[in-house]
Every structure is written in structure tokens, then in C-alpha cells.
Amino acid sequence: MILKNLSRSRSPAKFPLLVLSTMAILLLTATISLAQPATTTATPPVSLNLFQAIFLGLVQGVTEFLPISSSAHLKVIPEALHWGDPGVAFTAIIQLGSIAAVIWFFWNDIVTVITGAYTAIQKKDYRSLEFQMAIGIALGTLPLIGIGLLIKKFIPDFDNSPLRSLGAIAIASIFMSILLGIAEKIGQRKRDLNHLTIGDGVLMGLAQCLAFVPGCSRSGATLTAGLFMGLERPAAARFSFLLGIPAITIPGLVEVKDAISAGFSGVSAVSLIVGTLSAAVFSYLSIAWLLKFLQTHNTFIFIWYRLAFGVAILSAIATGGLLNN
């Protein structure tokens, strides 16, 4: 029974204080720049020391799978701390740590879904849960790939577009906090993993396309969609992670290829290794903790955090602490 494999957490994840403390630190760093005006000149990627590499790996690891947006935090945190731009190469490479963590954590589940789907095809049992999940994940990944290809073709400078500005990040964070709050209030939460359908995968796949705008959060968008569709919180989160494996891996590998093509100017091998290991460890712990947390808690801690995060950014922009770029 696939539910036996997919409904339990791999780890007791006894580190809630670390996660909550990290979220508080991230929120604090978003407001630090209120006291210091930002500079107006763009700077090239900087060389990070070991502490900075570990900390940014922690930021990547914790925020990639919690519904609070990793891309937003990796853009805002270095800006707020006046560390300079760590560069596309660094942020792309450390994302591999998160990819490794999610595959590591869900390895048995991945094998179960793939082998179960293969068996279902052989037996022509197309109502099999494993088959439904596999097809749902495959179809749910197509919109992300399609939109990604269109952006690469028609908006080559998308990284510098208004949709990725600090103002847009703040608005997206606030909007998605409200949307998740509505989902919490009206979602029926009556369906578990045994009642997933191909349609769930498609709809959650469409929702994760919102992650092209930093601040929306891929995991946040899919979790919100799952709650709107009546899934239980742990089931929505778990399927979100499974759906996210190709969604994170494919763009991540593309970014790495682009980073390699552009060269690694200003990025040391030690910083890359340390940052990637940090991202892997904290990604794994974040996945385990969130799945455990959602078994007995709602998502309002993330709703209020995202609302405060967005307001902090808008306040910093308004006072000149952060540039809206």
C-alpha cells in the first residue's frame, strides 16, 4: 500500500526551535537596512567567506521547502546585510544541495511510485494510485517547463525584469500570504494521499508556475492549491515535495549549465562546497520538520511571517533602506 510509504515522516525532526529561530532571523535581516541607506551602484558578484556561504546555504535550505520563497530570501538577505551579490553561479550551485536533499529524503517514495506505475501499466491498471501519481507529477511538470522555455526565448533578461524586483517580491509575499490564509479557512482537508488524482497533479503543477515570481514560493503555491482542492495539510505538503523533484531539478540543472557557461568569477570552490553542503543539510531537516509540523498544526505561522516579510521590504524601500531593483 503506497500510503504506508508516503504518509509517514522519515525523521522525528526535533528541531522546531531552529526553524522558528531561523525564520525570525530572516525577518530581522529584511529590516536591518532600514537604518542604513542602500547604495545606487551595481556591484559584481563578491567572494563569500565561510560564514556567509554557510548562512546562505542555510537560507536556501530552510526557505526552499518551507512555504516562504527561497528566491526571495536569497535576493533580499544579502541585499539587506550589504554583503553584495553572491552571483548566479553561487545561488545555482547551492540549489543542487536542496535537490540532493529532496531526492535523498523521498528516495523510497520515488522508487515506490515509479515501480508501482510500471507495474500498473503492465497490468493495465490505470486506476492505480501509483500510476495516477506518476502521471500527475509528469503532467504537472509540463507547464513549468513550457513557461520556462518561453521566458528563456522571449525574455532573456528575465532576472532583471520588474517581476523580480524587490517591490514585486514584497507584493507577491503579501498576496500569497492572504491566499494561503483563505485556503486555510475554506479548505475542507478531507482527502489524504490515497485519494490523489491526475487532476491534482495538473492543478498543483499550474500553481507552482507562480514561483517564477520571487516571493510567491513554489512550495507555498502548491500547498495553497492543495488546501483549496480539499487535501489534508500533510498530504498536500508531501505531494508538493514529490511534484517539486522534477520542478526543482530541471531548472536547477539549467541554471548550473548557464552558470558554468558564464564562468565562476569571484566564486571560490570552498564557498561553493560549503554552501552546497549547508543547503543539503538544512533542506533535509526542513522537509522532515514541515511534514511533522503539519500533522498537528495549521500554516498560519507562515502566513503571518510572509505578511511581515513583505511589509518589511516595502517599509525598507519606502525609507530608502532597500532599492526597488
Side-chain angles (χ1 to χ4, degrees), residues 3-318:
L3 182 59
K4 289 182 67 176
N5 292 325
L6 295 179
S7 63
R8 59 184 173 83
S9 294
R10 294 281 188 277
S11 159
K14 296 179 180 178
F15 78 127
L17 288 178
L18 174 59
V19 173
L20 298 178
S21 298
T22 300
M23 290 173 64
I25 292 171
L26 298 181
L27 180 57
L28 178 62
T29 54
T31 62
I32 285 177
S33 57
L34 286 169
Q36 300 180 2
T39 58
T40 58
T41 56
T43 57
V46 297
S47 180
L48 300 171
N49 60 42
L50 288 183
F51 171 78
Q52 291 170 328
I54 292 171
F55 184 76
L56 291 180
L58 180 151
V59 172
Q60 163 65 27
V62 169
T63 60
E64 179 66 55
F65 297 106
L66 298 187
I68 56 177
S69 181
S70 61
S71 56
H73 285 78
L74 284 174
K75 184 174 178 67
V76 172
I77 298 303
E79 182 87 19
L81 292 176
H82 302 285
W83 285 355
D85 181 10
V88 175
F90 180 81
T91 54
I93 294 295
I94 66 171
Q95 190 176 21
L96 293 178
S98 294
I99 294 170
V102 71
I103 293 175
W104 176 20
F105 191 94
F106 288 106
W107 180 251
N108 290 337
D109 300 337
I110 295 169
V111 172
T112 298
V113 170
I114 292 175
T115 56
Y118 178 73
T119 301
I121 292 172
Q122 286 184 316
K123 295 180 177 180
K124 297 184 179 180
D125 180 16
Y126 302 122
R127 294 187 178 182
S128 160
L129 178 58
E130 293 90 340
F131 179 81
Q132 296 273 318
M133 290 185 69
I135 298 301
I137 291 171
L139 293 179
T141 304
L142 292 179
L144 192 77
I145 295 174
I147 293 176
L149 291 174
L150 289 174
I151 289 175
K152 270 196 163 297
K153 182 174 179 61
F154 296 107
I155 316 177
D157 196 28
F158 183 67
D159 284 343
N160 297 313
S161 72
L163 283 176
R164 298 181 68 84
S165 67
L166 294 175
I169 288 173
I171 293 170
S173 185
I174 293 170
F175 173 75
M176 291 303 295
S177 72
I178 295 171
L179 203 60
L180 181 55
I182 295 172
E184 271 285 355
K185 286 295 185 181
I186 71 173
Q188 296 183 348
R189 299 187 294 278
K190 292 182 177 179
R191 295 194 294 137
D192 59 20
L193 286 169
N194 276 333
H195 296 89
L196 288 170
T197 66
I198 293 175
D200 293 326
V202 173
L203 291 175
M204 290 178 75
L206 289 170
Q208 73 181 355
C209 292
L210 292 172
F212 282 109
V213 179
C216 282
S217 169
R218 191 209 65 81
S219 60
T222 50
L223 178 59
T224 300
L227 293 178
F228 272 124
M229 292 186 295
L231 293 175
E232 295 175 346
R233 295 186 193 97
R238 202 166 193 93
F239 187 63
S240 168
F241 291 143
L242 291 171
L243 180 65
I245 291 173
I248 299 170
T249 302
I250 295 171
L253 293 178
V254 170
E255 288 182 17
V256 169
K257 179 185 73 67
D258 292 345
I260 292 173
S261 300
F264 293 95
S265 176
V267 182
S268 71
V270 174
S271 294
L272 286 173
I273 293 171
V274 169
T276 302
L277 290 175
S278 175
V281 170
F282 286 105
S283 291
Y284 188 95
L285 294 175
S286 295
I287 294 169
W289 178 80
L290 183 62
L291 291 175
K292 189 76 172 180
F293 179 82
L294 291 179
Q295 290 177 9
T296 54
H297 298 79
N298 59 37
T299 61
F300 273 96
I301 184 175
F302 307 113
I303 293 168
W304 290 115
Y305 173 83
R306 298 191 65 167
L307 183 63
F309 185 69
V311 169
I313 296 172
L314 290 179
S315 299
I317 292 173

